[in-house]
Amino acid sequence: MTLRPRVLSGVQPTGSLHLGNWLGAIRNWVQLQDSHDTFFCVVDLHAITVPHDPALLAEATRRTAALYLACGIDPQRSTVFVQSQVPAHSELTWLLNCVTPLNWLERMIQFKEKARKQGDNVSVGLLDYPVLMAADILLYDADLVPVGEDQKQHLELARDIAQQRINARFAPEDQPLLKVPEPLILAEGARVMSLIDGRCKMSKSEPNEGSRLHLLDPPELITRKIKRAKTDPVMGLEFGNPERPEADNLLGLFALLSGKTRDTAAAECAAMGWGQFKPLLAEAAVAALQPLQERYAEIRRDEAYLSEVLREGKERAAAVATATLERVKAALGFLPAA
Ligand code: TRP
């Protein structure tokens, strides 16, 4: 058997997955299963880096895992697991914490933005978020990490920690301890923007729910959100006009959801007013999400199955992660357990 390059990625179980998570990330993971050795985790430890509600965390974690499966992640071909169930993630984070310079974390853009929003209620965990993410990746010797624009800096940090702070200090040059991962920058469709502001990314943390379509939104809600989506006074949909970010975003969504090429979609909608375009977009969104929602409902009718998928995933993940952790601990000089 030839060794396939390994891919690892994860999504936080906060709120509900939306169209940006699907079109920008998970849909591409599904394709990678044919050519790569794929690990997908639900990063629940990351979800508590901002204040969270304990009553919702477990259900959000199961929902996220079930949505992975509903989107087409196949547990026969991928390792699907919950981050907190593999203790090596927390343990490697500590080891990496002790070699990561504080100022590398203080300059992370996402930290600065989130910290600004939270005033003086910022946890050490929020600052440490990228080190936990580095541990997620490095534990699995991942070759490639599919990341969007907003996570590139975190991946860069994981590479720097592996290379400069672990391999350079604790391993002989020809036998690196940790694999240095490469980003896998995904093609078109990777950036889905907000429905209420075509210049901002569709995001879970935006308070206005009308800014995004959740994968589990019922058809009426999808239609209503699209009806209310921001427009502009210009007639006709088009790509690439910097004055018209909403037109660009919604036309792009229409192409992705209807399975048409961008050229076909652009030609079809070039002369349409918003009033004619929006129902078409709503119809395409409802039709694209329906099979996914049906599969999700089916998966949630059999909780024992989902538990079994996660149990098996945890075992496969832990076998790989524990071996890496032991390797690092040995190199750092820890006393082996008897
Ligand atoms: N920080 C990532 C995000 O918000 C989620 C994440 C956590 C992740 N650990 C990861 C992504 C490891 C890729 C690999 O999108």
Side-chain angles (χ1 to χ4, degrees):
M1 201 186 91
T2 53
L3 235 43
R4 295 170 162 206
R6 183 171 288 162
V7 163
L8 177 131
S9 199
V11 171
Q12 290 188 48
T14 32
S16 197
L17 296 191
H18 55 66
L19 222 47
N21 299 123
W22 183 38
L23 298 175
I26 302 171
R27 206 178 48 135
N28 301 302
W29 301 356
V30 172
Q31 267 157 26
L32 290 168
Q33 296 180 113
D34 296 329
S35 46
H36 292 70
D37 178 19
T38 41
F39 284 70
F40 300 118
C41 59
V42 180
V43 290
D44 54 348
L45 294 170
H46 279 104
I48 68 162
T49 55
V50 294
H52 84 289
D53 183 347
L56 304 180
L57 183 59
E59 165 55 23
T61 301
R62 288 182 79 84
R63 188 194 311 130
T64 304
L67 277 169
Y68 285 2
L69 305 186
C71 290
I73 300 299
D74 171 5
Q76 305 289 335
R77 292 185 292 157
S78 291
T79 302
V80 178
F81 67 103
V82 174
Q83 182 191 36
S84 67
Q85 295 182 349
V86 179
H89 291 249
S90 300
E91 202 174 341
L92 183 63
T93 299
W94 177 255
L95 305 180
L96 300 182
N97 275 341
C98 295
V99 296
T100 303
L102 182 58
N103 66 16
W104 288 10
L105 300 180
E106 286 169 332
R107 65 169 187 243
M108 291 288 120
I109 294 163
Q110 195 173 77
F111 171 71
K112 288 197 276 188
E113 281 175 1
K114 288 191 184 176
R116 182 160 37 76
K117 285 189 198 145
Q118 282 184 217
D120 38 1
N121 197 17
V122 175
S123 70
V124 174
L126 188 65
L127 179 70
D128 207 24
Y129 178 118
V131 181
L132 176 59
M133 179 165 160
D136 297 341
I137 297 165
L138 301 174
L139 278 174
Y140 297 89
D141 292 322
D143 297 285
L144 292 166
V145 182
V147 280
E149 200 58 42
D150 63 324
Q151 295 297 315
K152 264 203 213 151
Q153 197 185 27
H154 290 163
L155 186 67
E156 202 51 47
L157 182 91
R159 291 170 50 86
D160 289 345
I161 294 174
Q163 214 155 23
Q164 300 172 32
R165 296 287 153 158
I166 297 289
N167 291 346
R169 290 185 178 182
F170 301 105
E173 214 168 311
D174 54 343
Q175 272 176 302
L177 263 175
L178 294 173
K179 168 154 272 160
V180 181
E182 299 287 338
L184 180 61
I185 306 291
L186 297 161
E188 184 179 294
R191 251 169 107 74
V192 176
M193 312 306 278
S194 157
L195 298 181
I196 55 169
D197 182 349
R199 289 159 309 175
C200 299
K201 203 174 138 174
M202 187 176 283
S203 153
K204 284 186 225 190
S205 54
E206 162 60 49
N208 184 342
E209 297 234 337
S211 68
R212 57 188 170 265
L213 294 180
H214 293 124
L215 300 185
L216 298 175
D217 282 349
E220 319 76 72
L221 188 56
I222 293 175
T223 308
R224 187 156 12 111
K225 284 178 176 173
I226 290 177
K227 197 179 266 173
R228 293 193 187 152
K230 187 170 175 206
T231 59
D232 59 31
V234 183
M235 179 83 182
L237 277 292
E238 61 180 325
F239 282 124
N241 183 339
E243 311 275 285
R244 305 189 63 203
E246 286 77 25
D248 186 89
N249 183 41
L250 296 187
L251 184 56
L253 273 183
F254 177 65
L256 285 167
L257 292 168
S258 63
K260 297 181 177 170
T261 66
R262 284 166 71 87
D263 286 346
T264 308
E268 207 174 293
C269 307
M272 267 183 207
W274 287 99
Q276 193 184 355
F277 171 72
K278 279 186 164 184
L280 275 187
L281 174 60
E283 201 182 305
V286 169
L289 289 175
Q290 191 192 12
L292 192 157
Q293 295 184 351
E294 281 168 7
R295 279 196 302 273
Y296 177 81
E298 203 175 301
I299 292 161
R300 293 312 300 265
R301 276 196 290 273
D302 188 355
E303 293 292 331
Y305 166 74
L306 184 58
S307 300
E308 183 53 23
V309 166
L310 294 177
R311 196 193 58 74
E312 266 177 34
K314 176 191 76 177
E315 262 163 32
R316 292 213 296 261
V320 179
T322 308
T324 309
L325 178 66
E326 291 309 321
R327 207 163 75 216
V328 174
K329 285 176 80 174
L332 264 53
F334 283 94
L335 177 66

